Amino acid sequence: MMDKAGGVEGQSVHPGKYSRVERERRFLLASPPNPSMVTVTRVITDRYVNGTRLRLRRADFADGRCELKLTQKVPVLLSGAIQSLITNTYLSPAEYDVLASLPATMLSKTRFSVPPLGVDVFDGRLQGLVLGEAEFTTDEEVQAFVPPAECVAEVTDDARFAGGCLVQASRQELLGWLAKYGIRPQT
């Protein structure tokens, strides 16, 4: 049985052979990145499998490559850059198709690599949300990071801007959340 934080009741999960600590900081941006700054572009479709902590991802790159993976994120109940323990499994197209038949809620976005950030520009009901993420391998890197000037607000500790919450958000909820940070996308 899962607890409200997405963890498994009566069990603890530790980083190790199969999972790693995910350190990231998230930022709201007022607009998509300047195309001249983008190094890689991919369209991402995430399927959050109902009743689980599993995310099935399809990433289609501008050069025609496709990356398919299954991810499990186990939330860490701490504030700050350590968000979760993460485990990724890369899939064949046949494996992806089997898992894609499970009931899921979908989220789509275009991710632009704009070092040092990955910038997600969301589609559909989340249109107008531009979220930048920076990932780190050590706590020291987290502390030393200075966000680029285009970052409007840090939302690392605002769980509403994590994928698992965004996938459930209505358009009106999103607009209200963004307004609290002074962002008013065109509707």
Side-chain angles (χ1 to χ4, degrees):
M1 176 171 251
M2 291 174 51
D3 66 17
K4 290 182 181 181
V8 178
E9 285 186 75
Q11 296 181 5
S12 59
V13 179
H14 302 283
K17 186 175 180 180
Y18 299 107
S19 65
R20 67 173 175 82
V21 173
E22 181 180 48
R23 292 175 180 86
E24 68 180 14
R25 290 175 62 188
R26 291 187 302 272
F27 304 91
L28 291 175
L29 285 74
S31 61
N34 181 324
S36 68
M37 304 298 289
V38 175
T39 60
V40 178
T41 301
R42 57 201 161 282
V43 175
I44 295 174
T45 303
D46 285 335
R47 299 177 56 84
Y48 288 82
V49 180
N50 295 349
T52 75
R53 298 171 295 193
L54 302 175
R55 179 188 70 202
L56 187 61
R57 172 168 285 178
R58 177 185 179 100
D60 291 297
F61 290 78
D63 65 6
R65 288 181 297 129
C66 178
E67 183 178 86
L68 307 169
K69 66 181 173 179
L70 179 65
T71 300
Q72 179 190 46
K73 289 189 175 190
V74 178
V76 176
L77 301 177
L78 301 171
S79 62
I82 296 178
Q83 299 295 310
S84 61
L85 297 177
I86 185 169
T87 305
N88 286 307
T89 302
Y90 290 87
L91 304 171
S92 71
E95 291 167 329
Y96 178 89
D97 289 344
V98 167
L99 295 170
S101 69
L102 296 172
T105 308
M106 293 179 54
L107 186 84
S108 62
K109 58 192 176 185
T110 300
R111 176 165 293 163
F112 301 98
S113 294
V114 186
L117 299 176
V119 178
D120 293 338
V121 178
F122 289 80
D123 300 329
R125 71 185 183 288
L126 299 179
Q127 186 174 8
L129 174 60
V130 181
L131 195 59
E133 292 183 354
E135 292 191 8
F136 310 94
T137 55
T138 68
D139 293 338
E140 293 76 24
E141 289 175 351
V142 170
Q143 297 303 317
F145 183 73
V146 177
E150 60 268 19
C151 294
V152 173
E154 183 162 1
V155 292
T156 299
D157 289 329
D158 191 335
R160 297 175 297 185
F161 292 98
C165 189
L166 287 171
V167 74
Q168 301 294 332
S170 71
R171 177 84 181 146
Q172 286 309 108
E173 286 174 314
L174 173 68
L175 292 175
W177 300 343
L178 291 175
K180 289 181 180 180
Y181 288 99
I183 298 174
R184 291 177 176 36
Q186 295 178 349
T187 56

